[in-house]
Amino acid sequence: MDKVKRPDKRAERSRRTREKVVEAARELFVAQGYGATSLQEVADRAGVAVQTVYFVFRNKRTLFKDVVDTSIAGDTEPVATMDREWFRAACAEPTAAGQLRAHVHGTREILGRVAPIMPLIAAAAATDPEIAAQWPDGPDPRYTVQYAAAEALAGKPDTRPGLSIDMAADLLFGLLSPQLYLIFVRDRGWSPDTWEEWARTALTSQLCADPG
């Protein structure tokens, strides 16, 4: 008889500890800034020994990178955005309007996590060359995602006639940017629901054919 594989309790404890430390670091980085936050403060917030933080992440730069990566993904799974179920399902929608509805909703979930830390990335990279090196110059990964979404829009029956993939990608990249999200939600006090409805309506009017 095959043995039933038991859950690895040690691995599960390690995963939970890592998640607690990352969440504590995210809260402190957003509240205080990257430079002003110490690993001891992160450990205290997470309820672990500071030696544990050093053991898992080695240094604050690595922890910061984990905070950014998990904020984008929403979890610790090493799965790229374009391979995420929500993105694939959105691209598989039979109409452009349906794809935009699902795509804007999925993007809103990411922006709610990522937009607050975008200013931190810029500030930390400006003062720490090693952090800047973690995001090397090259194609913006966010544009790569939006270009893939634009490619999926092409050819759907209700896509605006004559719309190029490049133009669609530019509109998705600009209107669904963290910077614009922060202007409306953080600075102007819009609710995320209001932002989502505005973004969906604006993109639908630009990327879909006029009804009738």
Side-chain angles (χ1 to χ4, degrees):
M1 181 182 294
D2 293 337
K3 292 183 178 180
V4 177
K5 187 175 181 181
R6 296 180 179 178
D8 189 333
K9 293 183 178 179
R10 180 178 297 178
E12 179 62 19
R13 284 196 302 270
S14 297
R15 183 188 65 77
R16 288 200 302 267
T17 297
R18 188 182 192 96
E19 289 178 350
K20 285 196 302 182
V21 172
V22 169
E23 181 56 30
R26 185 182 189 280
E27 292 171 358
L28 287 167
F29 288 153
V30 170
Q32 303 179 170
Y34 171 78
T37 299
S38 70
L39 290 185
Q40 182 65 63
E41 289 176 302
V42 172
D44 292 343
R45 173 72 65 96
V48 302
V50 71
Q51 291 87 349
T52 299
V53 179
Y54 279 107
F55 177 78
V56 175
F57 296 97
R58 300 192 309 278
N59 55 55
K60 192 163 70 167
R61 295 185 189 98
T62 303
L63 174 57
F64 184 70
K65 182 66 161 55
D66 250 54
V67 167
V68 175
D69 290 345
T70 56
S71 294
I72 294 171
D75 54 45
T76 58
E77 297 299 317
V79 180
T81 298
M82 289 187 293
D83 294 325
R84 294 268 165 178
E85 179 59 32
W86 75 265
F87 183 84
R88 295 163 71 95
C91 291
E93 286 283 340
T95 65
Q99 180 184 340
L100 288 172
R101 184 181 302 276
H103 184 73
V104 170
H105 180 72
T107 303
R108 166 201 163 170
E109 297 295 317
I110 294 176
L111 289 176
R113 299 186 301 265
V114 172
I117 66 173
M118 293 302 290
L120 300 177
I121 297 173
T127 58
D128 190 331
E130 291 191 39
I131 285 183
Q134 293 179 352
W135 287 278
D137 293 334
D140 189 321
R142 197 170 64 79
Y143 182 79
T144 300
V145 170
Q146 301 301 354
Y147 194 88
E151 287 183 312
L153 279 170
K156 290 186 176 178
D158 55 336
T159 299
R160 181 175 291 279
L163 179 71
S164 70
I165 293 175
D166 285 346
M167 177 61 75
D170 287 349
L171 289 167
L172 290 168
F173 183 72
L175 268 69
L176 301 181
S177 68
Q179 294 84 356
L180 203 54
Y181 180 89
L182 286 176
I183 287 173
F184 287 128
V185 175
R186 181 193 65 188
D187 299 343
R188 301 309 310 154
W190 287 19
S191 71
D193 285 343
T194 299
W195 175 88
E196 181 178 338
E197 179 61 21
W198 168 80
R200 183 194 64 77
T201 301
L203 286 168
T204 299
S205 70
Q206 292 292 314
L207 301 178
C208 294
D210 295 328

